[in-house]
Amino acid sequence: MTPATAPANHQKINAAKTGILIANLGTPDGYDYWSMRRYLNEFLSDKRVIDLPAWKWQPILQGIILTKRPFSSGENYKLIWNEEKGESPLMTITRDQADALRIRAQQEWGDQVMVEFCMRYGNPSTEDVLDRMVKAGCRRIVFVPLYPQYAGATSATANDQLFRALMKQTWQPAVRTIDPYFDRPDYIAALADSVRRVLGDKKPSKLVASYHGMPRRYLEQGDPYHCHCQKTTRLLQQALGWEDGIIDTSFQSVFGREEWLRPYTVEHVAELAKQGHTDIAVISPAFASDCIETLEEINGEIRESFEHAGGQDFTYVPCLNDHPSHIEVIMNILRENIGGWVSKS
C-alpha cells in the first residue's frame, strides 16, 4: 500500500525512502560525574567490549571503576570539550560528516534517501534514530559503522545494537551492513593524502600508526582486527612510497591488567625517542573521527611520553573527519551497497 492508494480513513503512510545511517562509537552528554558515569556504564557493560562473566565484572565495574573513573575521564573530556556547542568533538564531527553526506546523497539520489547518524553508546541512540527513520518512511536502510578495520568491540557491537533495535519495530525495514573498508584503495589514498597535507615534503624519522588496542586474547579467539591494522599500515606505506621500516604499528588505550596487542603506543614513542628518533608523526587510521583518544590521549599522554624521553618534534596527523576525500570514500561505499534500492535523480 502507498500513500496514493491508502483509503481515506487509513493511518498516514509516508512515501517509501532508503535510509543511510552512519554510526560512531559514542560520547557522554557532558563531562560532569553523572553524565560520565552513565556513558561509561553503558560502554563498559557491553559484552563485546568486556567479555568477563557479569557476576565477576559488574561488582568491579559498579563498585570500583564507576566510583573513580568518571572523575578522571571527565577531566580529560573537559580539556577537549566543544564549549560553544556544549558537546564533545566526536559529536560535532560526526554531525558534520552526516551533514556532508546528506548534501552529496541528495545531489545524487534526491528525496529517495534520508541520511542520519547515531551512536553506539550515549545519544543519539541507535534505537531512537532507527525508530525516527522508520516512521519517516525508510523501508530500506544501509548501515555504516565508521570503523575501517573490523573488530568485535566496534563493528560487531554497532551491528548488534542495530539488530536489537530492529527487534522492536513492528514493520522492519530491509537492512544492509557494510564490509570493513581498511584496504579500499580510495580509503588508503585519503589516508596518504592526509599525511601529505600535514607533513608536506617533510618526512619524519618515524610515522607511528596508532590503532585502538584490544586484549590479545581476542586475536587468539579469531578477531581479525590485528591483521586489518597491520595491512592498513603496509598499504599506507606503499601509497606514500616510503621505504620499509619508516612506519610502525602500535596500539593505544590499554585498559585493565591483561595483555593487550603490542607494542603499546605510549611506551613505543618513548622507546623511539631513546633510540634517537626525535622527529616523529602519529596517525590514527582506526578512527574515522577525532575524539578523546586522539585529541587528548595522543596529543596529551602520548606526546608527553615522547617528549619526556627526549623527543623534540611531535606531529599529530588528524583523522579524516569530514574532509571531502573521506566523504567521497563513504559515498563510494554507499554506491556499492545501495544498488537496486535507488536510482540517480
Side-chain angles (χ1 to χ4, degrees):
M1 186 178 296
T2 67
T5 60
N9 62 347
H10 197 283
Q11 67 184 56
K12 181 181 177 183
I13 299 176
N14 289 308
K17 297 180 180 180
T18 295
I20 295 168
L21 179 56
I22 65 172
N24 219 325
L25 180 74
T27 169
D29 295 325
Y31 49 76
D32 60 282
Y33 174 83
W34 290 109
S35 293
M36 290 303 312
R37 184 180 176 110
R38 284 192 299 272
Y39 174 73
L40 291 171
N41 183 50
E42 184 181 7
F43 175 48
L44 296 176
S45 293
D46 185 351
K47 294 287 287 184
R48 289 279 195 180
V49 176
I50 307 291
D51 65 350
L52 296 174
W55 66 264
K56 185 176 184 179
W57 172 240
Q58 282 298 320
I60 299 171
L61 177 62
Q62 302 299 329
I64 301 173
I65 295 173
L66 293 181
T67 299
K68 299 179 179 180
R69 194 174 179 91
F71 289 110
S72 58
S73 294
E75 287 301 313
N76 290 336
Y77 267 98
K78 186 176 181 179
L79 295 172
I80 64 166
W81 201 253
N82 184 339
E83 295 289 357
E84 181 181 349
K85 293 189 176 182
E87 61 189 24
S88 75
L90 179 67
M91 178 69 76
T92 304
I93 293 167
T94 307
R95 183 187 296 107
D96 289 345
Q97 291 169 325
D99 289 345
L101 282 170
R102 187 176 297 111
I103 292 171
R104 292 293 308 279
Q106 289 181 346
Q107 287 173 344
E108 189 149 336
W109 300 303
D111 293 336
Q112 300 175 83
V113 298
M114 176 180 183
V115 179
E116 297 292 341
F117 75 93
C118 66
M119 299 294 182
R120 168 61 184 88
Y121 313 104
N123 297 305
S125 72
T126 305
E127 181 178 331
D128 288 347
V129 177
L130 175 71
D131 187 62
R132 174 156 43 87
M133 295 179 78
V134 170
K135 288 176 179 175
C138 291
R139 304 305 324 137
R140 303 177 177 117
I141 291 178
V142 180
F143 186 59
V144 185
L146 293 174
Y147 306 109
Q149 301 81 16
Y150 176 93
T154 54
S155 313
T157 192
N159 289 335
D160 289 346
Q161 194 72 351
L162 175 68
F163 300 147
R164 278 190 286 267
L166 285 168
M167 292 171 65
K168 298 183 179 181
Q169 290 297 323
T170 302
W171 187 1
Q172 291 181 332
V175 170
R176 291 173 179 169
T177 61
I178 69 165
D179 288 331
Y181 56 95
F182 67 98
D183 56 354
R184 290 179 60 96
D186 51 2
Y187 167 69
I188 295 299
L191 279 183
D193 287 345
S194 74
V195 173
R196 297 188 189 100
R197 281 197 304 274
V198 173
L199 299 181
D201 296 330
K202 171 186 168 185
K203 184 187 296 183
S205 176
K206 282 282 189 179
L207 174 63
V208 178
S210 180
Y211 300 84
H212 198 288
M214 74 176 187
R216 181 173 180 80
R217 175 168 49 85
Y218 292 7
L219 166 63
E220 295 165 352
Q221 292 170 351
D223 193 302
Y225 177 70
H226 181 264
C227 299
H228 288 185
C229 295
Q230 296 287 357
K231 187 173 182 180
T232 302
T233 300
R234 175 169 58 82
L235 293 175
L236 175 59
Q237 177 188 321
Q238 293 173 1
L240 288 168
W242 291 359
E243 62 272 19
D244 291 345
I246 196 170
I247 307 181
D248 292 348
T249 296
S250 64
F251 300 90
Q252 63 183 87
S253 308
V254 176
F255 178 79
R257 296 181 178 179
E258 72 174 301
E259 181 80 2
W260 280 44
L261 297 177
R262 287 183 179 270
Y264 301 154
T265 304
V266 68
E267 297 175 355
H268 185 62
V269 296
E271 185 60 30
L272 288 176
K274 293 173 184 176
Q275 292 173 1
H277 296 283
T278 58
D279 171 18
I280 71 168
V282 178
I283 189 171
S284 300
F287 297 92
S289 318
D290 276 305
C291 55
I292 189 75
E293 286 86 355
T294 63
L295 299 174
E296 194 284 324
E297 186 177 359
I298 289 181
N299 260 331
E301 178 187 4
I302 291 170
R303 176 190 290 271
E304 290 171 5
S305 176
F306 175 70
E307 293 174 347
H308 288 168
Q312 298 173 8
D313 191 350
F314 182 100
T315 302
Y316 171 60
V317 179
C319 296
L320 295 178
N321 296 324
D322 62 337
H323 189 275
S325 65
H326 190 206
I327 301 304
E328 186 61 26
V329 171
I330 300 174
M331 281 296 297
N332 287 337
I333 292 171
L334 289 171
R335 292 184 185 105
E336 294 166 9
N337 283 274
I338 211 168
W341 282 1
V342 297
S343 57
K344 287 193 174 183
S345 60

